[in-house]
Amino acid sequence: MRIVILFFISFITIASRAQDTLAVINKKRLIPVATGALGIYTASMVGLNELWYKNNPRSSFRFFDDSHEWKQMDKLGHAVTAFHESRFAVDVLRWSGVPQRKAYLIGGLAGFVFQTPIEFLDAYSPEYGFSWSDVAANASGSLLVIGQYLAWEELRIQPKFSFHQTKFAKERPNVLGKSFNEQLLKDYNGQTYWLSFNIYSFLRDKRSNFPKWLNVSLGYSAENMLYAQDSQNKEAGYVPYRQYFLSLDIDFTKIRTRSRVVNFILDYGFNILHVPSPALEYSRKGIKFHAIYF
């Protein structure tokens, strides 16, 4: 937690000192929002500890290579979370008057810094450990924000998340979750991660009548996983497999209302989630059409 606090101190100091002829830092905006974000992050870390680590024993600091587990679903979770934390931080800095390039670079690092302390919680758990592949996934989420802003000055591709409950959680509730909230975090069989492409932003002719809010999404998931490793699942009679999806989606950042509150909810609530939509699935079982996929 000290790492995050030090980051926030540096974050506020650097942003507050940044000045150029086009932007003046609005400390009355920056400091309260940054402080509030730190409070929310602290609360989320406490909640994560309650759901995931509280009832588990502690061990000495250890490293662990889990890059081959759960069909890499947990890595995507790290990347998507880091992306949206960085996206929010960039928007806060820009809203506070920080020059664009500095906002992209400083805010873009936020997701990486926010997510990395989780590795220290894992490092003292006998079931997990400090994972360099998790750190790499955190970095990829932040870099996806920084790279797009530096290349296009906007986000044209956004990772998203969807979830549905599965039968597998009931078979191993201690690992995959007993309640809905636990399953949301732990049952990788029900999670799907998406890359949502805003078509309009890639069009050369901005006078086009193509809907600005319509996206095309590529999804990834996996199923038949009671255990982390394929060999364990096969011994239990399950054959894990990957799933790939093609679906439509909505970019809620392109839908504006007169209410700032509603716009905020659209941007940082709805736009993190993939909208339930028709989808094509490809897996080892072949091609399957879903009228509505969550």
Side-chain angles (χ1 to χ4, degrees):
M1 189 59 65
R2 283 180 291 181
I3 295 175
V4 179
I5 294 173
L6 288 173
F7 168 78
F8 256 81
I9 293 173
S10 301
F11 177 83
I12 294 171
T13 301
I14 294 172
S16 297
R17 291 178 179 176
Q19 295 185 27
D20 63 12
T21 58
L22 298 178
V24 176
I25 306 302
N26 189 330
K27 296 180 182 180
K28 291 182 179 180
R29 287 185 173 185
L30 177 62
I31 295 177
V33 173
T35 303
L38 177 59
I40 293 172
Y41 175 79
T42 302
S44 67
M45 291 292 286
V46 172
L48 179 64
N49 184 67
E50 289 290 320
L51 287 173
W52 200 290
Y53 302 98
K54 182 179 179 180
N55 297 322
N56 295 333
R58 300 295 187 186
S59 68
S60 58
F61 188 97
R62 60 192 292 267
F63 290 94
F64 181 60
D65 179 14
D66 61 346
S67 59
H68 58 288
E69 295 186 346
W70 299 111
K71 296 293 187 185
Q72 294 76 51
M73 287 294 293
D74 58 323
K75 308 307 169 199
L76 292 176
H78 279 268
V80 171
T81 303
F83 175 93
H84 287 289
E85 289 172 339
S86 291
R87 176 172 73 95
F88 177 74
V90 170
D91 288 346
V92 168
L93 289 180
R94 294 177 65 182
W95 179 67
S96 302
V98 174
Q100 281 198 132
R101 187 175 180 83
K102 291 184 178 180
Y104 298 156
L105 296 175
I106 298 171
L109 290 173
F112 175 76
V113 174
F114 292 166
Q115 286 296 105
T116 300
I118 296 175
E119 293 312 306
F120 290 92
L121 292 175
D122 282 346
Y124 291 97
S125 172
E127 297 182 8
Y128 307 106
F130 188 98
S131 169
W132 285 111
S133 57
D134 283 354
V135 173
N138 298 336
S140 69
S142 288
L143 289 174
L144 184 57
V145 172
I146 295 172
Q148 289 189 77
Y149 272 128
L150 292 180
W152 301 316
E153 296 189 348
E154 64 178 349
L155 297 178
R156 300 182 178 183
I157 306 168
Q158 299 198 50
K160 297 191 178 185
F161 171 81
S162 65
F163 176 77
H164 60 271
Q165 289 183 291
T166 73
K167 63 181 180 180
F168 302 102
K170 295 180 180 179
E171 299 186 42
R172 205 171 178 223
N174 289 337
V175 173
L176 301 182
K178 298 176 183 178
S179 66
F180 178 84
N181 288 339
E182 288 185 348
Q183 292 167 18
L184 190 67
L185 289 174
K186 297 182 178 183
D187 186 3
Y188 297 119
N189 299 282
Q191 298 176 358
T192 305
Y193 292 97
W194 305 83
L195 275 181
S196 192
F197 296 79
N198 182 259
I199 303 173
Y200 180 85
S201 65
F202 286 100
L203 298 178
R204 292 185 178 181
D205 184 4
K206 297 304 180 182
R207 296 171 297 177
S208 169
N209 292 323
F210 193 90
K212 295 181 180 181
W213 49 265
L214 184 60
N215 282 18
V216 171
S217 288
L218 302 177
Y220 172 78
S221 186
E223 200 162 288
N224 272 7
M225 300 182 296
L226 288 184
Y227 299 90
Q229 300 184 30
D230 287 355
S231 59
Q232 295 174 302
N233 286 300
K234 290 176 181 178
E235 288 177 4
Y238 293 88
V239 180
Y241 63 95
R242 305 176 191 274
Q243 300 164 295
Y244 304 92
F245 298 90
L246 175 64
S247 182
L248 298 176
D249 192 26
I250 295 175
D251 186 345
F252 286 99
T253 67
K254 298 297 189 291
I255 299 175
R256 298 294 84 183
T257 72
R258 295 181 179 180
S259 170
R260 293 182 180 179
V261 173
V262 173
N263 290 340
F264 181 87
I265 294 172
L266 291 174
D267 289 352
Y268 306 109
F270 290 161
N271 212 55
I272 294 174
L273 306 175
H274 178 267
V275 175
S277 307
L280 281 176
E281 173 191 343
Y282 173 76
S283 70
R284 65 177 178 83
K285 294 184 177 182
I287 297 176
K288 180 180 180 181
F289 174 73
H290 299 267
I292 294 292
Y293 182 83
F294 288 84

